[in-house]
Amino acid sequence: MARNWNLRLIRPREAVTLAVNKAWTEALKDLARWIETDLARAMTYGGLGLQGIADTAFYKFVISPEGLSQLGIEKTEPPKLLQAYERTIKVSRSNRLVKIRFGDLALLKLATPHPASGTGHLQIESWLEWVVDKEKVKSGYVPRSRVPKPLQKNIRVQSAPGGLMLPKGRFGSKGLWRFPPQLADFEKKWLRANVAKIEKLLQQQAITFLSKRLS
């Protein structure tokens, strides 16, 4: 004999709200993990439609022969900055909100010690101090092309691919150097280029994760 069943939701709005809120909490956990992995890497190295720190004019200068020579570092040093950027991303969340911190300056400095720090030749610990703290050097940069050819065989010149930091007057040295100011504000330029794209990515991923949790 056929039976008819009548079902009635008790307080349906509250039941649906509870289910959605639970799914949203789980979706935020998914979003936080995605930020710490996929988004952090894209913000650092590029991808997902973003300009990475590695794509900035600042970083391209740092890894150039001129940049390496002016900073007095080997080509193995700049990648440490990128690795630090990827590690410094921090995500905090509540039931309805996700906060992102990226590029903690203190941690970035710790990750980029200058090879000559502690030798008595420098007043800085991190080469990044020349960039963000606008520290000056009482030597001028002389491109390698202006150094007499006989001296270019000197081992010190060979270890500086772009040129040398020399006292004032030496081969045209101005006797004073600071990091190019037009490149020093790279983080502000990077943020302006990416902020709207990052917000859109976060919205899209949040919706994607919520949909999966509700399915």
Side-chain angles (χ1 to χ4, degrees):
M1 182 174 64
R3 291 175 180 267
N4 294 321
W5 297 90
N6 294 317
L7 298 177
R8 182 167 63 90
L9 283 175
I10 300 174
R11 292 185 297 180
R13 179 176 296 177
E14 289 83 349
V16 171
T17 299
L18 181 62
V20 171
N21 285 343
K22 182 178 180 180
W24 178 243
T25 298
E26 295 303 312
L28 285 184
K29 294 179 182 178
D30 297 334
L31 183 63
R33 286 190 289 269
W34 176 81
I35 292 170
E36 291 172 343
T37 53
D38 296 42
L39 185 60
R41 186 161 187 81
M43 290 166 70
T44 304
Y45 298 98
L48 301 177
L50 301 179
Q51 178 199 48
I53 296 294
D55 300 320
T56 61
F58 153 78
Y59 189 75
K60 290 177 180 178
F61 170 77
V62 168
I63 62 175
S64 71
E66 293 76 16
L68 293 171
S69 299
Q70 291 178 44
L71 292 168
I73 58 177
E74 301 288 339
K75 63 181 179 181
T76 54
E77 297 302 314
K80 296 177 183 178
L81 175 63
L82 298 182
Q83 294 164 9
Y85 263 109
E86 191 173 9
R87 289 195 306 267
T88 58
I89 194 163
K90 302 295 180 185
V91 183
S92 59
R93 57 183 174 78
S94 62
N95 288 335
R96 297 182 179 276
L97 185 67
V98 170
K99 292 183 179 180
I100 302 174
R101 293 185 62 192
F102 182 67
D104 185 296
L105 185 56
L107 294 177
L108 293 177
K109 287 182 178 180
L110 285 174
T112 54
H114 196 287
S117 176
T119 63
H121 299 292
L122 293 177
Q123 301 299 316
I124 63 168
E125 295 182 359
S126 164
W127 57 264
L128 202 57
E129 292 178 46
W130 281 326
V131 181
V132 298
D133 298 336
K134 300 179 174 59
E135 296 284 351
K136 296 181 180 179
V137 177
K138 293 182 179 179
S139 294
Y141 175 66
V142 179
R144 187 165 183 160
S145 60
R146 285 164 52 185
V147 177
K149 289 185 178 180
L151 294 179
Q152 291 192 23
K153 296 181 180 180
N154 182 287
I155 188 170
R156 182 168 174 241
V157 178
Q158 291 175 348
S159 66
L164 292 175
M165 302 296 293
L166 298 172
K168 185 176 182 179
R170 189 84 186 275
F171 305 127
S173 169
K174 295 181 179 179
L176 188 67
W177 176 88
R178 65 172 178 166
F179 192 83
Q182 68 273 20
L183 299 175
D185 63 344
F186 70 98
E187 281 194 320
K188 292 181 180 179
K189 293 176 181 176
W190 173 87
L191 185 60
R192 285 197 297 266
N194 286 288
V195 63
K197 296 176 183 178
I198 292 173
E199 289 176 351
K200 185 176 181 180
L201 281 170
L202 290 172
Q203 292 173 359
Q204 291 173 339
Q205 285 300 131
I207 292 171
T208 297
F209 290 132
L210 179 60
S211 299
K212 289 181 178 178
R213 289 294 180 176
L214 288 172
S215 61

